[in-house]
Amino acid sequence: MSDTLQSLDQLSQVKPVAPEAPKYVKKVDKLNRAYATGKRKDAVARVWIKPGAGKISVNTRDVEIYFARPVLRMMIQQPLVAAARNGQYDVICTVAGGGLSGQAGAVRHGISKALTAFEPELRGVLKKGGFLTRDSRVVERKKYGKAKARKSFQFSKR
């Protein structure tokens, strides 16, 4: 401990040590696929991505068949478009639970996490777009004495 300071003048010459940013490494399996789990509401999606022609399959079906609404398909494409990787990865996912919009949100979350596992340098772009954050909003539980979570029964004076 020979480098202790003896006066306040020496304190101004000390350079602060900046903490290093965490290093993220590429995580792929032996088939060169990245895996991630995405969640939204009650839906859970298991997502694998690998380099390819941009084919997306959900529960062994094509994405156009499984998610018929264009808004849901656009939602799934958002992380790939934000990272400028549209058409460069094949996406295979299995999704269960919840409704279609929750499942689409879970797939989007899973694709974002899998992209960061495959290409860690994309983390900043996806984080800024809000794709890596799990949307924690879930349905509020029903309370006793209420018709639904907050709705009361019809009031009548007599």
Side-chain angles (χ1 to χ4, degrees):
M1 192 97 187
S2 63
D3 57 339
T4 56
L5 302 175
Q6 301 297 325
S7 68
L8 289 176
D9 294 331
Q10 292 175 337
L11 186 62
S12 65
Q13 296 163 355
V14 174
K15 301 260 190 288
V17 178
E20 289 187 27
K23 301 267 191 288
Y24 295 101
V25 294
K26 182 176 177 177
K27 293 183 193 166
V28 291
D29 61 6
K30 59 185 171 237
L31 298 174
N32 199 28
R33 299 178 305 183
Y35 170 78
T37 305
K39 295 182 179 182
R40 169 83 171 95
K41 293 186 179 178
D42 275 337
V44 179
R46 300 182 303 157
V47 179
W48 292 267
I49 65 165
K50 62 182 178 182
K55 186 177 181 300
I56 300 175
S57 67
V58 181
N59 290 353
T60 68
R61 284 187 268 174
D62 199 39
V63 71
E64 283 82 18
I65 295 168
Y66 194 85
F67 293 113
R69 292 184 7 223
V71 174
L72 300 179
R73 289 197 301 267
M74 182 262 311
M75 231 174 103
I76 290 170
Q77 294 283 340
Q78 281 178 334
L80 296 167
V81 171
R85 299 291 188 273
N86 203 2
Q88 295 181 18
Y89 288 105
D90 286 340
V91 178
I92 298 123
C93 59
T94 58
V95 64
L100 281 179
S101 66
Q103 288 183 351
V107 171
R108 180 177 85 165
H109 186 227
I111 289 173
S112 305
K113 285 171 63 176
L115 270 175
T116 56
F118 202 90
E119 290 187 62
E121 60 271 8
L122 294 178
R123 183 175 170 80
V125 176
L126 295 172
K127 186 83 171 160
K128 191 167 286 196
F131 300 121
L132 294 177
T133 307
R134 192 243 197 252
D135 192 352
S136 60
R137 297 176 296 169
V138 292
V139 178
E140 190 175 348
R141 76 172 191 89
K142 183 194 176 302
K143 280 76 169 190
Y144 61 89
K146 297 282 186 179
K148 290 164 53 175
R150 297 184 180 204
K151 182 182 177 185
S152 297
F153 296 109
Q154 182 174 345
F155 178 76
S156 172
K157 191 108 179 186
R158 356 192 147 108

